[in-house]
Amino acid sequence: MINAHTEVYAILGHPVRHSFSPAIHNAAFQANNINAVYVAFDVENIADALKGIRALGIRGASITIPHKIAIIPYLDELTDLASKIGSVNTVYWEDGKLKGDNTDAYGFYESLSHHEEITDKTILMLGAGGAALAVSFALFAYDKPAKLIIAARNREQREQLRSRLLSNFPDATIETCNFESLSEARKQSQIIINTTPVGMFPNEDQIPFDPALIPEKITVMDLIYHPVETRLLQEAARKHCTIIPGTEMLLYQAARQFEIWTGEKPPLPIMKKALLSCLKQN
Ligand code: NAP
C-alpha cells in the first residue's frame, strides 16, 4: 500500500512511455514486500531532473535514451565501470552521494555467460553505438575473449570504439570491419552479438546481414527485446545455433539495479513474468 513512508524510484528518459521498467520494478518491490514505487518521468532537461531527485529524496533512478551520457556531469561520483564506459543507466545514493553505475554491461555479461563460455572465443559484434560500448567493455572487464571484431557501417564510429577499448584494455585483440566484409569475419566467430536496432519492432522482417552467412552451431545473441525472437535469432535457430534474446539482458540489468537499490536478492521469476506480460500486451 502506498503511504507516507513509500519510497520513490523512477526512470528518466525521453520518450519513456513505452518503457517496461515500471512494470518490472514494481512487481519486484511488491514480491519482496518493499514499500516503494517506481514511476516513469518523461524528462527533456536532465540537469533539472537531477535537482528534482536531490530535492525530493528520490531513492534511485534508471536512466535511458537520450540521457545516459549527458547525466554524468550532474552526478557526485561514478563507479569505475561507468566511468570507463562513459555512460550511466543507474543512479543510486551511497554515503550521501548520488552515484552513477552501468548495469547494461553487467546485464549483458550475465546473460551471455549463462549460455556460453567467453574466454578465448572470437566474438563478432554488429554495431558500435551506445549499447555496443557497454557490451564491448563488459567483454574485457569481466572476461578475456581471444578477439573482438567490431562490424559497423560508420568507419569513424568503429575505429573510435576500438581505440577507446584499447586505451582501457591494451592487451586486447580488436579488429574492425564494415558490413560488406562480414563474410570473412563471421567464419572466425564463435559468438555473434547484434547491437544494432535492425529487426526491432515494428521492422521485424529486417535482419542485419544475409542469413546465409550465419555459421552452424555457434551462439547468436540479439540485444533487441521487442520482438523477443528477432528474425536474426529465428534464422540462427534454423542453423542449430544457441540463441539469446535481448529480454535476458534487460532482465539482468534490471535485477542488478534492484540489488543496488535495495540490497536484496532480486525476485527474477517475478520480474521475468512482468516483462513477458508487457511484451504480450505490445
Ligand atoms: P545507438 O546508440 O543508436 O547505436 C546503434 C548502432 O547500430 C550504431 O552503430 C548504428 O550505426 C547501428 N545501426 C543502426 N541501423 C543500422 C543499419 N540499418 N545497418 C547497420 N548498422 C546500423 O543505439 P543503442 O542504444 O546502442 O541501441 C541499439 C539496440 O540495442 C536497440 O535495439 C536497443 O533496444 C537495444 N538495447 C537493448 C538492451 C537490453 O537490455 N536488451 C539495452 C540497450 C540497448 P549508425 O551510427 O551508422 O546508424
Side-chain angles (χ1 to χ4, degrees), residues 11-16 41-44 46 62-67:
I11 179 164
L12 312 180
H14 179 71
V16 83
F41 289 128
D42 195 327
V43 160
E44 288 192 51
I46 193 67
S62 308
I63 308 301
T64 188
I65 287 172
H67 304 308

Side-chain angles (χ1 to χ4, degrees), residues 65 68 104 126-133 151-154 157 179 194-198 200 206 208 222-225 245-251 253:
I65 287 172
K68 286 185 178 185
D104 280 336
L126 311 174
L133 198 61
R153 56 186 179 180
N154 180 325
Q157 197 182 51
F179 274 71
N194 177 38
T195 78
T196 79
V198 182
M200 189 165 75
Q206 294 182 356
D222 203 326
L223 262 58
I224 293 170
Y225 51 83
T247 41
E248 292 198 14
M249 172 173 166
L250 186 67
L251 191 66
Q253 67 77 27

Side-chain angles (χ1 to χ4, degrees), residues 128-179:
L133 198 61
V135 162
S136 52
F137 267 79
L139 286 170
F140 293 105
Y142 297 132
D143 217 305
K144 212 171 180 327
K147 191 200 284 185
L148 173 67
I149 307 170
I150 305 168
R153 56 186 179 180
N154 180 325
R155 185 189 164 83
E156 200 183 323
Q157 197 182 51
R158 60 182 191 252
E159 293 307 330
Q160 261 178 14
L161 178 54
R162 179 173 181 270
S163 308
R164 193 146 170 203
L165 285 163
L166 285 175
S167 67
N168 282 280
F169 308 103
D171 297 335
T173 304
I174 303 169
E175 291 175 4
T176 62
C177 69
N178 55 27
F179 274 71

